Amino acid sequence: MSRTPDQIKRAAKSKKRIKTILHNGLLAVLSFFWLIPIFWLIASAFNTDRGVNIRQFFPMNWTLDNFYQLFFQTDSVANFPRWFLNTLTVAVFACIISSLFVLMVSYTMSRLRFNMRKPLMNIGVILGLFPGVLSMIAIYFILKSLGLTDSLLALIIVYSASSGLGYLVAKGFFDTIPKSLDEAARIDGATQWDVFWRIIIPLSRPIIVYTVLLAFLAPWVDFVFANIIMTSRDTNKFTVAIGLYNMLDRNLVNNYFSLFTAGAVVVSIPISVLFIFMQKFYVEGVTGGSVKG
């Protein structure tokens, strides 16, 4: 017996509803398992026990003392305000320099035509595919020969030096801006710098936000390069990542684990706030840059 059009339509709707329920259910299960360690870390930040708590998921007693001690009761092991200032200094300067590098390289590759442009673009993309960690030994010895190890300046240089290789997405965004605007400005006597700074940059807010967020995030969360370059054990020179990791030393973890979790919560707040307020521009920058990237 053949089905009527209404029956076929209802069956299709039911099939689509079941697929949606299964799809969302799978995502909910995966999200639950993904969020378990994050919730445990946040809950541990409010625990009165100073060591690792594996007896129960939520603390028996809750307190804010860990956050107070983190900022106002520093000692030779935990000097979080200094670590936070060091990390913020490195992240801000690296962010400014990296963003300028990326935007200027992207503009050059998008708007200018010169010999070896295509080969240079290909070399940049290929070099960008190599994990940066492969170069850390060479970078360490170069910085050591220059006497720059164990300094925040070395971290700023490392995080900024290769940023121009990440030009591809921003170049794709610049490619979507009509070149007739450049040509009109050039006819009126504008220089390349005028075109870049007064015409292209004001029209590129989404890709600027995207570039700035990535440039700030890398030094803010990095541990590998910071741990290689900051060779001394002077806690006043630590970044947040090194300092928090130092708290997990087997001789310290029983007294500092709750401070470690409180520090992890605090250090995640600036990035979370940035993403919440800049999410719209971030998505526009990624999608706009992928059109011709």
Side-chain angles (χ1 to χ4, degrees):
M1 181 179 177
S2 61
R3 294 186 297 177
T4 64
D6 286 342
Q7 289 175 325
I8 295 174
K9 192 174 180 180
R10 281 197 295 272
K13 280 187 176 179
S14 299
K15 188 177 180 181
K16 184 178 179 181
R17 189 178 298 116
I18 292 172
K19 286 178 67 176
T20 302
I21 292 172
L22 291 175
H23 179 262
N24 292 342
L26 177 62
L27 290 179
V29 171
L30 293 175
S31 300
F32 175 75
F33 285 108
W34 184 76
L35 289 172
I36 283 177
I38 297 176
F39 284 143
W40 181 74
L41 185 137
I42 294 174
S44 298
F46 296 92
N47 197 349
T48 53
D49 293 336
R50 301 184 65 82
V52 181
N53 176 23
I54 57 174
R55 289 169 296 180
Q56 60 272 332
F57 190 88
F58 293 106
M60 295 292 291
N61 300 300
W62 297 73
T63 180
L64 291 173
D65 287 349
N66 296 325
F67 294 94
Y68 180 83
Q69 183 178 349
L70 199 65
F71 284 100
F72 301 109
Q73 294 180 351
T74 60
D75 55 33
S76 58
V77 174
N79 192 354
F80 190 81
R82 184 67 186 182
W83 303 342
F84 195 91
L85 179 62
N86 290 345
T87 307
L88 185 65
T89 301
V90 172
V92 168
F93 280 98
C95 175
I96 294 171
I97 297 171
S98 299
S99 300
L100 288 175
F101 276 0
V102 171
L103 294 175
M104 287 191 290
V105 171
S106 303
Y107 174 80
T108 301
M109 295 302 179
S110 173
R111 287 302 204 263
L112 304 186
R113 295 295 180 267
F114 51 89
N115 293 333
M116 297 295 292
R117 172 177 165 273
K118 282 283 185 182
L120 283 175
M121 289 172 58
N122 293 333
I123 291 172
V125 172
I126 293 171
L127 289 177
L129 296 177
F130 286 91
V133 70
L134 295 177
S135 61
M136 62 182 181
I137 300 301
I139 290 173
Y140 169 76
F141 282 109
I142 292 172
L143 292 173
K144 186 177 180 181
S145 66
L146 296 173
L148 290 176
T149 53
D150 204 27
S151 68
L152 299 182
L153 176 61
L155 290 178
I156 295 172
I157 293 173
V158 168
Y159 295 133
S160 307
S162 63
S163 57
L165 297 176
Y167 72 91
L168 199 59
V169 176
K171 175 191 172 297
F173 189 92
F174 289 159
D175 286 344
T176 63
I177 299 175
K179 292 185 179 179
S180 57
L181 297 175
D182 307 23
E183 294 165 357
R186 296 285 290 173
I187 291 173
D188 290 339
T191 62
Q192 286 291 352
W193 175 256
D194 293 331
V195 173
F196 171 70
W197 192 250
R198 297 182 179 179
I199 297 177
I200 300 299
I201 291 299
L203 295 173
S204 307
R205 191 165 56 175
I207 198 62
I208 293 173
V209 171
Y210 166 80
T211 304
V212 168
L213 281 177
L214 289 188
F216 185 83
L217 185 62
W220 186 260
V221 300
D222 178 66
F223 168 75
V224 177
F225 275 108
N227 194 44
I228 291 292
I229 293 170
M230 306 303 283
T231 53
S232 76
R233 293 296 93 186
D234 182 0
T235 57
N236 288 326
K237 294 184 177 181
F238 283 178
T239 61
V240 169
I242 304 174
L244 292 180
Y245 180 76
N246 189 54
M247 290 181 179
L248 299 180
D249 185 273
R250 62 181 180 179
N251 297 320
L252 302 173
V253 67
N254 289 329
N255 290 320
Y256 288 92
F257 185 77
S258 57
L259 283 183
F260 162 79
T261 55
V265 171
V266 171
V267 80
S268 66
I269 292 175
I271 292 297
S272 303
V273 172
L274 276 177
F275 269 101
I276 289 172
F277 286 101
M278 302 293 184
Q279 187 178 26
K280 175 186 174 185
F281 299 111
Y282 183 83
V283 174
E284 289 180 4
V286 174
T287 54
S290 64
V291 173
K292 292 187 178 181

